[in-house]
Amino acid sequence: MKEINSIESYNAKIKNVIITEQEIKDAVKKAGKEIDAIYDGTPILLVSILKGSFVFMADICRAVSVPCEIGFMCAKSYYEGTVSSGVVRITMDLDRDISNYHVVIVEDIVDTGRTLTDITTILKARSPRSLRVVTLLDKPSRRLVDFRPDIALFTIPDYFVIGYGLDCAEYYRNLPYIAEYNQAED
Ligand code: 5GP
């Protein structure tokens, strides 16, 4: 990614909005109801995979009505610009034993599927009562391993996207919508 040295160069990389703020709000509300229906009053532990899912986590935790605790993990899936190198590493782990919990992993996007395959393998080995995955975005056309989220709010084509928690070189996480990143500007 070229250095951002002006507001014009920053804005030029936001190609087009593919999911609006309102569409996200509506989908989060619906996903909250789906989670409520699955757990039917049973307490859950929502686990946000940082950093990308921090915005989604803040909204989905307020869209569920079942009793819920929250936890955070940090996984790095080494991206050089917009291309994944395929190496996933847990850089910050959960602060508790999850063996008594119904765990719901909250992720921003499933792309190749490697990150969540690794994270679910690690968490399953800790014997939670149950484990499910809710992802904001799903790019099934990019899958390299067979991974299927339990709930995906939006299925998108093979675009590199930014906004609502998703970054490019740490910028754009604070956009309230999801946009396609303009790679032609790099
Ligand atoms: P996977 O392991 O499924 O290939 O990748 C998952 C991680 O890659 C996501 O949590 C996210 O950090 C990053 N990623 C994949 N696709 C995109 C994308 O289109 N935009 C951004 N900003 N990150 C992505």
Side-chain angles (χ1 to χ4, degrees), residues 3-11:
E3 202 186 330
I4 289 176
N5 45 24
S6 66
I7 188 70
E8 287 77 22
S9 62
Y10 175 83
N11 286 335

Side-chain angles (χ1 to χ4, degrees), residues 5-185:
N5 45 24
S6 66
I7 188 70
E8 287 77 22
S9 62
Y10 175 83
N11 286 335
K13 289 170 186 172
I14 305 171
K15 191 171 176 185
N16 57 308
V17 175
I18 63 165
I19 306 171
T20 65
E21 196 173 351
Q22 190 58 50
E23 285 169 330
I24 296 172
K25 274 191 184 143
D26 294 345
V28 168
K29 210 169 160 187
K30 188 166 159 254
K33 290 204 171 101
E34 268 184 72
I35 292 171
D36 283 346
I38 293 169
Y39 294 96
D40 193 24
T42 305
I44 59 173
L45 171 65
L46 291 173
V47 174
S48 162
I49 310 300
L50 296 173
K51 297 179 192 172
S53 75
F54 81 104
V55 180
F56 180 37
M57 175 66 151
D59 284 343
I60 196 77
C61 73
R62 289 176 293 173
V64 297
S65 310
V66 290
C68 98
E69 293 182 44
I70 61 168
F72 298 94
M73 274 179 96
C74 198
K76 273 213 175 307
S77 60
Y78 294 90
Y79 262 77
E80 272 302 319
T82 59
V83 183
S84 167
S85 66
V87 183
V88 175
R89 197 160 59 90
I90 306 287
T91 54
M92 187 188 86
D93 208 341
L94 285 168
D95 59 1
R96 73 196 82 178
D97 174 7
I98 59 167
S99 58
N100 250 336
Y101 286 97
H102 291 282
V103 174
V104 181
I105 295 175
V106 177
E107 178 62 305
D108 55 353
I109 186 164
V110 187
D111 186 31
T112 64
R114 283 174 170 145
T115 305
L116 280 174
T117 298
D118 285 7
I119 290 173
T120 53
T121 303
I122 291 165
L123 294 189
K124 270 182 196 157
R126 300 178 189 176
S127 310
R129 289 192 170 166
S130 66
L131 183 68
R132 287 190 174 86
V133 173
V134 56
T135 183
L136 174 72
L137 304 173
D138 191 6
K139 277 200 268 191
S141 62
R142 293 252 314 159
R143 218 53 116 249
L144 293 177
V145 291
D146 181 20
F147 182 86
R148 279 165 238 188
D150 298 281
I151 301 174
L153 278 61
F154 301 96
T155 298
I156 61 166
D158 181 12
Y159 298 149
F160 190 82
V161 292
I162 49 174
Y164 197 73
L166 291 114
D167 74 314
C168 189
E170 296 297 330
Y171 284 115
Y172 305 105
R173 294 192 195 276
N174 57 321
L175 298 177
Y177 48 78
I178 305 282
E180 185 181 354
Y181 179 74
N182 192 354
Q183 310 204 37
E185 286 291 317

